[in-house]
Amino acid sequence: MGCLLSHLAAKFAFFPPSPATYGIKKREDGKLTVVASPSSAPSMPVPHPDDNSLDVLVIDTKRGNKIVAFYLRNPYARLTLLYSHGNAADLGQLYDLFVQLKVNLRVNLIGYDYSGYGASTGKPSESNTYADIEAVYECLQTEYGVSQEDLILYGQSVGSGPTLHLAAKLPRLRGVVLHSAILSGLRVLCHVKFTFCFDIYKNIDKIREVKCPVLVIHGTEDDVVNWLHGDALSKMAREPYEPLWIKGGGHCNLELYPDYIRHLCSFIQEMENITTKTRLKKIRQNSSLQKRSCCANPFTSSRCCRIKLCRLKLPKCSKPKCFSCSCSCSWWPKCPMCFRPGCGTCCSKPKCPKPKCPKCSCLKCSCLESSCLECTGSCSCCCLPCLQWRWCCCGEESSSKMIKKHEKKLANGDTGRV
């Protein structure tokens, strides 16, 4: 049921441009180039075929799709930026932005189209976007020798989902930028307090697993994703960088504000100054704090819908106490059929009430001794043989002796009556 609902949610979450704004063409030397789509705007910039700073890549994913990626080189770069774009865009629309970021931030930049976007094959879905960004990261490692220590992940809007998915798996990542990010797919539509199984892009859970500095950029007038999403993500991050709230900024125009590129440049420069030794020290500190928090809180394990569950404790069997002396060594049950007394002072045997005559129910003496016959003469029907109260306080043995004594008196002619 959860997979079906996730599939339905994906249909409403992804809106790839149709038709694509660019195409891929193979030259005679085997190099791939970008060509403009007939439906694209004439003003949209197209990469020059002889641009040696751009590599057009086709990457295979583990889910069998082929995705297109643009890799832009900067000869002065020390870090690489992996850009995951928003919902209704593709690489043809973002090429001009990539060039500006490459120059102003002085980084190498790689952007990719999700499965079903642009010239990439397949259909867009949450699981496909996870496979897409993992394939791009593997390509950076194998083809360009980029390690996670020199990598910054950038996610815009829906792109924050695959960005945090990969960031949670890379403990030595240099940094993360969240641009108009979402807490989860369902939280964009309505305010919910729990994370449901059928929700997509559960960033609210994955942000806590990111071990590197996180920069959040959000517009205060965003009418698609409320800025409270970014505020919550910044507060839940382990190492939050100073967030940027662009006053009056919407969902798709933050790049037009001067504060955007200025604040982003300062973040990149600070990430460049962080040495590997400092990063390893912070990682060790965070891991030790996480272990302490896990030991202190038994409910930190993963669970569906974030509902705390605890094991019910069975009530302990209480030991009955002696009613006379309230001693702690009193009765305890051995089996359901019998009881063994534990106190040998006052409660070794249960006390019985005064016996009654079975015929007339008159009260008799509790001593039941043969010498005490005054109390048995209150009625004509009472005789000692009828008072055979076995297992009484006198015990079975004393009752049998008393009956034998009474039978001897009867044999001698004594009736036992006064």
Side-chain angles (χ1 to χ4, degrees), residues 98-148:
F98 289 170
V99 174
Q100 295 181 21
L101 293 177
K102 178 192 76 169
V103 175
N104 294 325
L105 302 180
R106 202 174 62 178
V107 295
N108 297 320
L109 189 145
I110 185 170
Y112 66 100
D113 265 338
Y114 310 123
S115 299
Y117 279 71
S120 301
T121 64
K123 294 182 180 181
S125 66
E126 180 186 11
S127 55
N128 278 340
T129 57
Y130 293 158
D132 297 340
I133 193 172
E134 290 175 1
V136 174
Y137 173 67
E138 291 178 3
C139 178
L140 286 175
Q141 286 184 307
T142 57
E143 299 296 331
Y144 300 98
V146 178
S147 62
Q148 57 178 294

Side-chain angles (χ1 to χ4, degrees), residues 7 38 52 65 123 126 140 143 169 173 193 198 225 256 351 359 368 378 392:
H7 181 68
N52 295 326
N65 299 323
K123 294 182 180 181
E126 180 186 11
L140 286 175
E143 299 296 331
K169 295 185 176 183
L173 193 65
K193 295 184 179 180
F198 55 85
V225 180
L256 303 178
K351 295 182 180 180
K359 296 182 179 181
L368 297 180
S378 59
C392 191

